[in-house]
């Protein structure tokens, strides 16, 4: 009887339930999540450790000094607390409101004490926060500071300050509550643009684990200046989800500030192209990588200073000029064992493509960085490691006789190659952390531009030649400029696109113009 019930009732019931669950998740995967998760509303504040801070702060609840104590701060509203006061702070002190269900003007959100350094009162222009303890106040939306005696002289309504046109106000967000057994989450449904002329909202994206975890610090800094919902962590969200903001905002052209290296930037630009956003957002950069070649060209610098005031970055974004960057399609068609062509792969290129010695060094560096034994990470250490692999190639010469195993065609014209170990196809005037390959030589060829729908091709003689180029002691071998490029790789070599390397077997590589990406140039650099 028991066996009969098991076979006729229990097993069919379990199989039906499993099939139902599988079908449900399969359709969710196909359809995708229609809303953007904003924040778990059961968390009143977004706490982070104060261990890296050097300034003295006071607990907003007990008012004790937090210096040399494992204090916490909310990186959204700027409240500081002793660990023992966290629960009280969550109950008594409201965090920055990310959405409002009202059309009424928003009032200031005053936070008492712990003002930013060297702030002056917005009413009397005298310095604030001069006495110990919780003195004076500042608004976590407009960033205005004020003495307690001067506060009644300020308007009650907050105007969002000098970065108003970059902020998505809480009244513009329409959200839905998603509940489950553990927590409630807010999901963004629509964005209603405010009636502000020249409004260009900013979406900040970064991976908190990237750049020696500098990405996490950057996310925290911008939550203080903007609506925290505008700041997206790529370790938790796909770029497509981050860019969903741009689609929901509609016809207003957004700005996306991406913190990362060339690989992260290319990842984001690919997502923008894939979504075919109209209008496509303009992209600004905070450089967190090792090379940061695109950031250098566009004036955003070779590396980011974590002690720099993020307000200065927002000022640069407001003054930045929009430019168009050529996007190139790279099609790789492998050759089969019988000379037949297999399935092809397609990539997009923004900076440069390399085959041979420079890609080999990048591949070795990439493999080391991805290893479980790679414990220590810093820009200086990465550069030394890169130099080490370059020196290794001087001895091993794995890419020797590249010219005998590759056929290069520029605009369908076959090129004669000298004895080289590497070929670089460049879209921008920066390679290998700042080397201007093409423009370092003066001859009959024209200057390089990143929006002329032409590519520049140069040859590298060896790894030692690469080192000489880095310090300006040599010049590359100029091969030519072209609007379309074809390469037939007859032997396996390392290959890279925008710093993302792999080992490529014999194939045909075709590079053709695709379209343009919208970027911002820093005019205040």
């Amino acid at each position: 009887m028991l066996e009969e019930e098991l076979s006729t009732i229990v097993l069919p019931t379990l199989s039906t339930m499993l099939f139902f669950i599988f079908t449900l998740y399969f359709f969710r995967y196909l359809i995708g999540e229609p809303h953007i998760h904003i924040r778990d509303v059961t968390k009143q504040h977004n706490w982070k450790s104060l261990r890296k801070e050097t300034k003295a702060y006071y607990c907003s609840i007990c008012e004790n000094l937090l210096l040399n104590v494992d204090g916490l701060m909310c990186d959204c509203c700027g409240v500081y607390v002793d660990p023992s006061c966290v629960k009280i702070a969550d109950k008594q002190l409201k965090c920055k409101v990310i959405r409002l269900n009202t059309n009424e003007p928003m009032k200031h959100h005053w936070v008492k004490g712990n003002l930013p350094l060297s702030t002056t009162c917005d009413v009397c222009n005298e310095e604030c926060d001069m006495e110990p303890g919780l003195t004076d106040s500042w608004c976590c939306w407009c960033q205005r500071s004020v003495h307690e005696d001067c506060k009644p002289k300020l308007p009650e309504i907050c105007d969002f300050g000098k970065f108003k046109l970059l902020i998505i106000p809480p009244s513009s967000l329409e959200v839905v509550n998603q509940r489950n057994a553990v927590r409630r989450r807010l999901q963004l449904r629509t964005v209603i643009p405010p009636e502000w002329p020249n409004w260009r909202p900013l979406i900040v994206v970064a991976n908190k684990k990237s750049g020696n975890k500098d990405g996490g610090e950057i996310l925290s800094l911008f939550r203080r200046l903007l609506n925290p919902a505008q700041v997206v962590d790529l370790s938790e969200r796909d770029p497509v989800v981050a860019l969903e903001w741009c689609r929901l905002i509609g016809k207003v052209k957004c700005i996306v500030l991406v913190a990362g290296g060339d690989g992260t930037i290319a990842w984001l630009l690919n997502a923008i192209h894939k979504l075919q956003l109209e209008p496509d957002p303009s992209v600004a950069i905070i450089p967190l990588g090792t090379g940061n070649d695109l950031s250098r060209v566009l004036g955003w610098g070779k590396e980011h200073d974590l002690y720099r005031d993020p307000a200065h970055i927002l000022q640069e974004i407001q003054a930045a000029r929009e430019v168009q960057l050529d996007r190139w399609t790279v099609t790789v068609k492998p050759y089969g064992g019988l000379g037949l062509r297999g399935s092809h792969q397609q990539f997009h290129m923004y900076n440069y493509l390399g085959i041979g010695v420079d890609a080999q060094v990048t591949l070795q560096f990439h493999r080391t960085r991805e290893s479980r034994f790679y414990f220590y990470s810093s820009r200086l250490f990465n550069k030394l490691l890169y130099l080490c692999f370059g020196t290794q190639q001087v001895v091993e010469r794995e890419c020797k006789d590249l010219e005998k195993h590759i056929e290069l065609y520029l605009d369908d014209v076959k090129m004669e190659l000298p004895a080289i170990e590497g070929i670089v196809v460049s879209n921008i005037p920066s390679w290998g952390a700042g080397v201007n390959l093409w423009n370092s030589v003066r001859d009959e060829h024209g200057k390089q531009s990143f929006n002329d729908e032409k590519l520049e091709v140069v040859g590298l003689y060896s790894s030692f030649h690469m080192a000489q180029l880095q310090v300006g002691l040599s010049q590359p071998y100029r091969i030519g400029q072209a609007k379309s490029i074809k390469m037939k790789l007859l032997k396996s070599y390392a290959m890279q696109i925008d710093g993302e390397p792999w080992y490529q077997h014999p194939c045909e590589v075709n590079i053709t113009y695709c379209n343009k990406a919208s970027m911002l140039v820093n005019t205040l650099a």
Side-chain angles (χ1 to χ4, degrees):
M1 183 68 178
L2 182 61
E3 292 181 358
E4 185 179 348
E5 288 183 354
L6 182 65
S7 61
T8 59
I9 300 175
V10 178
L11 290 178
T13 302
L14 287 175
S15 61
T16 302
M17 290 175 62
L18 289 172
F19 178 76
F20 175 77
I21 294 171
F22 171 79
T23 305
L24 179 65
Y25 278 92
F26 178 71
F27 276 102
R28 282 187 179 179
Y29 171 78
L30 289 179
I31 297 171
E33 178 56 67
H35 303 303
I36 302 172
H37 290 289
I38 297 180
R39 191 172 69 184
D40 186 347
V41 294
T42 60
K43 296 179 180 177
Q44 300 302 318
H45 292 274
N46 199 48
W47 300 113
K48 60 168 286 190
S49 173
L50 271 180
R51 291 178 183 175
K52 292 185 179 180
E53 299 287 344
T54 55
K55 182 180 179 291
Y57 294 99
Y58 297 87
C59 176
S60 297
I61 298 297
C62 66
E63 301 193 21
N64 288 334
L65 185 65
L66 296 177
L67 189 64
N68 297 325
V69 175
D70 289 336
L72 299 170
M73 70 161 288
C74 174
D75 63 5
C76 296
C77 68
V79 168
Y80 292 78
V81 294
D82 184 280
S84 61
C85 297
V86 168
K87 291 184 178 179
I88 301 174
D90 279 335
K91 291 180 180 179
Q92 295 184 1
L93 303 176
K94 289 185 178 180
C95 189
K96 211 171 186 178
V97 177
I98 60 177
R99 96 280 186 229
L100 284 173
N101 296 325
T102 176
N103 292 323
E104 296 181 5
M106 197 177 79
K107 298 180 180 180
H108 289 288
H109 183 148
W110 296 113
V111 178
K112 189 173 182 181
N114 298 315
L115 275 65
L117 291 170
S118 304
T119 54
T120 57
C121 177
D122 201 71
V123 175
C124 67
N125 292 323
E126 296 292 331
E127 196 164 353
C128 289
D129 204 22
M130 295 295 291
E131 299 178 4
L134 292 176
T135 59
D136 306 328
S137 300
W138 67 285
C139 174
C140 62
W141 280 106
C142 65
Q143 313 300 317
R144 288 186 171 88
S145 300
V146 65
H147 295 117
E148 290 300 318
D149 295 338
C150 297
K151 192 185 292 185
K153 299 178 183 178
L154 269 183
E156 193 177 40
I157 303 304
C158 179
D159 66 356
F160 295 97
K162 58 185 177 181
F163 302 123
K164 171 180 178 177
L165 298 181
L166 299 176
I167 294 173
I168 300 177
S171 58
S172 290
L173 301 184
E174 285 192 0
V175 300
V176 293
N177 280 321
Q178 184 191 47
R179 299 171 181 266
N180 59 29
V182 180
R183 60 186 178 181
R184 291 182 297 138
R185 294 184 71 91
L186 292 179
Q187 290 182 323
L188 180 63
R189 184 168 59 190
T190 56
V191 178
I192 304 171
E195 296 179 357
W196 299 342
N198 303 317
W199 181 58
R200 291 194 67 186
L202 176 69
I203 308 299
V204 181
V205 297
N207 187 329
K208 67 181 179 184
K209 299 176 183 178
S210 68
N212 198 23
K213 298 187 178 179
D214 291 346
E217 294 296 322
I218 288 171
L219 292 170
S220 289
L221 291 171
F222 283 100
R223 288 189 188 105
R224 293 277 293 270
L225 295 172
L226 306 169
N227 188 329
Q230 294 174 244
V231 182
V232 182
D233 184 358
L234 291 179
S235 69
E236 299 176 355
R237 302 283 181 267
D238 188 271
V240 173
V241 177
L243 293 170
E244 183 71 6
W245 277 99
C246 304
R247 188 187 65 80
L248 292 174
I249 289 170
K251 296 181 179 180
V252 177
K253 191 175 180 70
C254 300
I255 300 172
V256 177
L257 175 62
V258 54
D262 290 326
T264 303
I265 297 165
W267 187 32
L268 181 82
L269 292 176
N270 288 340
I272 292 174
H273 175 67
K274 180 181 178 181
L275 291 176
Q276 297 182 342
L277 297 171
E278 273 298 330
D280 62 327
S282 300
V283 178
I285 301 169
I286 295 179
L288 292 186
T290 303
N292 301 315
D293 287 292
L294 185 57
S295 176
R296 294 168 190 262
V297 170
L298 297 177
W300 298 106
K302 61 181 181 180
E303 61 184 26
H304 176 65
D305 180 6
L306 271 179
Y307 296 100
R308 192 178 180 215
D309 187 350
H312 293 162
I313 299 175
L314 295 186
Q315 290 171 356
E316 290 176 341
I317 290 173
Q318 286 183 323
R321 175 172 55 90
E322 186 174 310
V323 294
Q324 299 298 307
L325 172 70
D326 289 340
R327 178 186 280 116
W328 297 86
T329 299
V330 181
T331 306
V332 179
K333 302 176 181 177
Y335 292 130
L338 299 176
L340 301 175
R341 299 185 184 189
S343 59
H344 67 272
Q345 293 179 290
Q346 203 167 78
F347 308 90
H348 288 107
M349 182 189 76
Y350 304 91
N351 299 356
Y352 46 78
L353 175 148
I355 294 179
V357 65
D358 76 312
Q360 181 66 39
V361 174
T362 304
L363 180 61
Q364 290 175 304
F365 171 73
H366 182 76
R367 285 173 174 171
T368 302
R369 192 169 56 176
E370 295 297 315
S371 168
R372 70 180 72 178
F373 301 106
Y374 186 73
F375 298 113
Y376 181 71
S377 175
S378 73
R379 286 192 186 94
L380 179 60
F381 181 75
N382 287 343
K383 289 177 181 178
L384 290 174
L385 191 63
Y386 206 91
L387 177 63
C388 175
F389 288 128
T391 306
Q392 180 182 336
Q393 282 301 309
V394 173
V395 179
E396 295 182 356
R397 299 193 66 187
E398 295 180 57
C399 303
K400 184 182 178 182
D401 298 329
L402 174 65
E403 76 283 356
K404 296 178 182 178
H405 303 105
I406 191 169
E407 294 179 10
L408 174 63
Y409 298 84
L410 302 187
D411 292 332
D412 297 323
V413 177
K414 186 176 182 180
M415 310 303 293
E416 295 297 325
L417 301 175
I420 56 175
E421 294 186 18
I423 291 176
V424 176
V425 180
S426 179
N427 183 44
I428 63 174
S430 182
W431 163 88
V435 180
N436 193 337
L437 284 178
W438 186 260
N439 295 328
S440 63
V441 183
R442 294 184 178 180
D443 57 17
E444 71 278 3
H445 293 290
K447 275 196 167 185
Q448 184 174 23
S449 171
F450 54 70
N451 56 12
D452 61 356
E453 300 180 19
K454 287 193 295 186
L455 291 167
E456 287 69 33
V457 186
V458 299
L460 305 174
Y461 295 118
S462 65
S463 178
F464 183 67
H465 183 214
M466 286 172 56
Q468 290 177 310
L469 290 169
Q470 293 282 348
V471 294
L473 295 178
S474 185
Q475 295 178 339
Y477 174 75
R478 269 183 158 186
I479 299 174
Q481 292 176 302
K483 293 189 174 184
S484 66
I485 295 171
K486 180 169 70 174
M487 290 181 282
K488 294 181 179 181
L489 195 61
L490 309 177
K491 181 183 174 181
S492 298
Y493 283 97
M495 183 172 173
Q496 69 150 323
I497 296 177
D498 294 342
E500 298 298 320
W502 69 93
Y503 199 70
Q504 180 60 53
H505 296 297
C507 66
E508 180 179 299
V509 180
N510 287 280
I511 308 175
T512 55
Y513 174 75
C514 178
N515 55 20
K516 296 189 185 295
S518 180
M519 308 296 295
L520 291 181
V521 170
N522 185 0
T523 58
L524 301 181

